[in-house]
């Protein structure tokens, strides 16, 4: 994934695409920050981790998309279409590096499968279900929507 980001950054530099280059640099900076944070634990002791894995990078990219969607809502309320367009363009670039998103139907099926696998029986198991989903489907599932599905499924059972 890092190689793909580096290659895309170089291509953007060569082509002179400043908007794309800026977004790719933001992604690389966020990854670098996460790498640095992973080197030490909460007490300041070295962890031996030099770089975060691709799963964590995917989670970071998903978080960046979520932040931009929240910004879009704010900008729409303020009638700032110029900023909405900028955020939408950044989302499109970030999503190029994310796996294909699951359809709502596939997401619901995955939720039901995980609930059955871990034998979840009530809302008290929601945390375990969400943790399993995040472990398996990072970058592929909208966990905000999935959370609602999990809650609905567990409250029925």
């Amino acid at each position: 994934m890092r190689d793909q980001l580096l290659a895309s950054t170089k291509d953007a530099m060569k082509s002179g695409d400043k908007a794309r280059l800026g977004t790719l640099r933001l992604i690389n900076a966020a990854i670098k920050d996460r790498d640095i944070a992973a080197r030490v634990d909460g007490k300041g002791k070295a962890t031996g981790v030099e770089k975060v894995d691709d799963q964590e990078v995917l989670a970071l990219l998903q978080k960046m998309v979520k932040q931009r969607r929240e910004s879009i809502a704010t900008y729409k309320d303020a009638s700032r279409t110029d900023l909405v367009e900028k955020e939408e363009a950044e989302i499109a670039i970030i999503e190029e590096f994310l796996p294909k998103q699951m359809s709502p139907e596939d997401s619901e099926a995955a939720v039901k499968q995980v609930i059955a696998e871990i034998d979840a029986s009530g809302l008290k198991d929601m945390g375990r279900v969400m943790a399993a989903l995040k472990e398996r489907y990072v970058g592929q599932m909208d966990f905000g929507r999935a959370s609602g599905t999990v809650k609905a499924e567990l409250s029925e059972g």
Side-chain angles (χ1 to χ4, degrees):
M1 169 155 305
R2 291 171 191 264
D3 294 338
Q4 185 183 1
L5 279 163
L6 185 61
S8 293
T9 302
K10 286 181 183 178
D11 290 344
M13 279 185 200
K14 289 177 185 174
S15 68
D17 188 346
K18 290 182 181 182
R20 182 173 176 79
L21 179 61
T23 302
L24 292 169
R25 284 183 171 159
L26 282 173
I27 294 170
N28 285 316
I31 292 170
K32 199 168 281 191
D33 284 347
R34 186 68 56 95
D35 286 342
I36 291 168
R39 291 182 189 155
V40 294
D41 62 13
K43 297 178 181 172
K45 301 223 188 253
T47 60
V49 176
E50 283 299 311
K51 292 182 177 181
V52 293
D53 61 2
D54 279 352
Q55 292 292 87
E56 198 157 339
V57 171
L58 286 174
L60 176 69
L61 293 177
Q62 232 179 355
K63 181 179 176 185
M64 291 176 79
V65 168
K66 182 181 176 196
Q67 289 170 335
R68 277 151 185 78
R69 287 200 172 114
E70 290 168 357
S71 295
I72 286 172
T74 303
Y75 295 147
K76 281 183 178 177
D77 290 344
S79 300
R80 293 294 309 267
T81 55
D82 56 327
L83 295 175
V84 169
E85 290 169 7
K86 180 182 180 285
E87 296 292 328
E88 287 173 342
E90 286 184 2
I91 288 173
I93 294 166
I94 295 168
E95 285 181 336
E96 289 175 24
F97 301 98
L98 288 170
K100 185 178 179 288
Q101 293 291 299
M102 295 174 80
S103 70
E105 296 80 23
D106 291 342
S107 181
E108 187 174 335
V111 166
K112 288 178 180 179
Q113 179 185 353
V114 168
I115 288 173
E117 283 177 19
I118 67 172
D119 198 28
S121 58
L123 288 176
K124 66 183 183 346
D125 295 320
M126 186 165 177
R128 288 189 318 134
V129 173
M130 289 305 297
L133 289 170
K134 287 181 179 179
E135 186 178 304
R136 295 180 194 180
Y137 301 107
V138 68
Q140 300 173 40
M141 182 182 281
D142 179 347
F143 294 112
R145 244 187 247 141
S147 174
T149 305
V150 170
K151 189 177 272 187
E153 289 292 322
L154 291 177
S155 61
E156 287 175 9

